[in-house]
Amino acid sequence: MISTANWTTSHSSRFFADANAFHPERWLSKSHPAFDARFASDNRNAARPFSLGSRSCLGMRLAYLESRILLAKLVYTFDWELKNGADIDWYRDIKLEGFLTLPDVYVKFSHVKGKANGANEKA
């Protein structure tokens, strides 16, 4: 049996340019206008959060669908502001002692003008 730790491969400079930084644009297709050429040689198959093969997560497709719907609704409804970003050092503050413990991340959400309480903006 061969296995690997997902976090290790997804944070390896062997597979990803600037592997330890948050760059969501690395997942865009090369034809997307916001694609950054620094990530053209990334091996995106190295990141498998739901595992692979016959032992992969049964709920993977449902989790992706729910995540897309939730994120789209949050982005559409709120402006986001990270309040303690300068205080977080992900390598210093993440703890793994049987369970993964992440640092507290404080985000201020404020309604996008014209969208408070679910109201749609009129054009």
Side-chain angles (χ1 to χ4, degrees):
M1 176 184 283
I2 298 173
S3 63
T4 186
N6 185 51
W7 189 93
T8 305
T9 56
S10 63
H11 286 79
S12 172
S13 58
R14 181 175 164 197
F15 301 115
F16 296 101
D18 199 10
N20 294 314
F22 179 69
H23 292 290
E25 62 275 16
R26 81 170 67 242
W27 301 100
L28 298 172
S29 67
K30 292 179 181 178
S31 61
H32 194 282
F35 178 75
D36 189 332
R38 290 183 298 162
F39 309 116
S41 62
D42 282 1
N43 182 355
R44 294 187 284 180
N45 288 322
R48 296 293 184 176
F50 292 99
S51 193
L52 296 169
S54 62
R55 304 271 186 216
S56 67
C57 179
L58 291 174
M60 173 176 56
R61 294 185 197 282
L62 180 61
Y64 278 139
L65 176 66
E66 289 177 340
S67 298
R68 285 186 197 123
I69 291 169
L70 178 65
L71 185 60
K73 184 68 175 173
L74 287 171
V75 169
Y76 181 79
T77 307
F78 296 103
D79 285 327
W80 302 18
E81 181 184 355
L82 182 61
K83 299 305 279 185
N84 66 332
D87 301 331
I88 298 173
D89 179 340
W90 291 98
Y91 289 101
R92 178 195 68 208
D93 299 335
I94 290 178
K95 308 278 188 269
L96 182 58
E97 298 165 349
F99 293 98
L100 184 65
T101 305
L102 301 173
D104 292 330
V105 177
Y106 299 106
V107 179
K108 178 182 177 184
F109 293 93
S110 45
H111 279 281
V112 173
K113 187 175 182 177
K115 295 192 175 78
N117 299 324
N120 290 328
E121 190 173 338
K122 307 247 177 181

